[in-house]
Amino acid sequence: MARFLTIVLLLHVSLMVVALVDCLSAPERGIRSLPRAAWIFLILLASPVGAFAWILLGKPLSPAPPRPVRRHGVERRRSMRPFGPEDDAAFIAGLAANLRRVDGD
């Protein structure tokens, strides 16, 4: 029984710490429902209900990921730069030129 209570206490404290750190690091403009100070008191004094309330009602909503740009019916990436060296035609051409030069010597 003592082991079970220790695990429950550890989960309780860790949930409270995570909610408190998340509340303190959230941007002020993104906090919903209550001001930051009220959320801190709620997390500390009404835990674990306050921590769950913060996660469900107060935590800022995550921004949606940017969607691809559609131009003339074709989806394109926002950045047209190559992502890796194998996608860069100039890099591959330079490798081929170096291999020809080394093989020619």
Side-chain angles (χ1 to χ4, degrees), residues 20-71:
L20 190 61
V21 168
D22 191 38
C23 180
L24 290 172
S25 64
E28 186 71 39
R29 292 185 344 223
I31 296 176
R32 301 180 295 152
S33 303
L34 297 172
R36 183 188 313 262
W39 279 115
I40 292 171
F41 284 119
L42 191 65
I43 291 169
L44 291 175
L45 299 178
S47 71
V49 175
F52 282 120
W54 162 254
I55 292 169
L56 296 175
L57 303 173
K59 187 174 181 169
L61 298 174
S62 61
R67 294 187 297 178
V69 177
R70 290 187 63 107
R71 292 185 186 141

Side-chain angles (χ1 to χ4, degrees), residues 53-90:
W54 162 254
I55 292 169
L56 296 175
L57 303 173
K59 187 174 181 169
L61 298 174
S62 61
R67 294 187 297 178
V69 177
R70 290 187 63 107
R71 292 185 186 141
H72 306 293
V74 178
E75 287 189 11
R76 298 183 184 184
R77 296 181 188 144
R78 289 196 184 275
S79 172
M80 297 305 290
R81 296 185 346 215
F83 287 102
E86 66 275 358
D87 294 333
D88 188 3

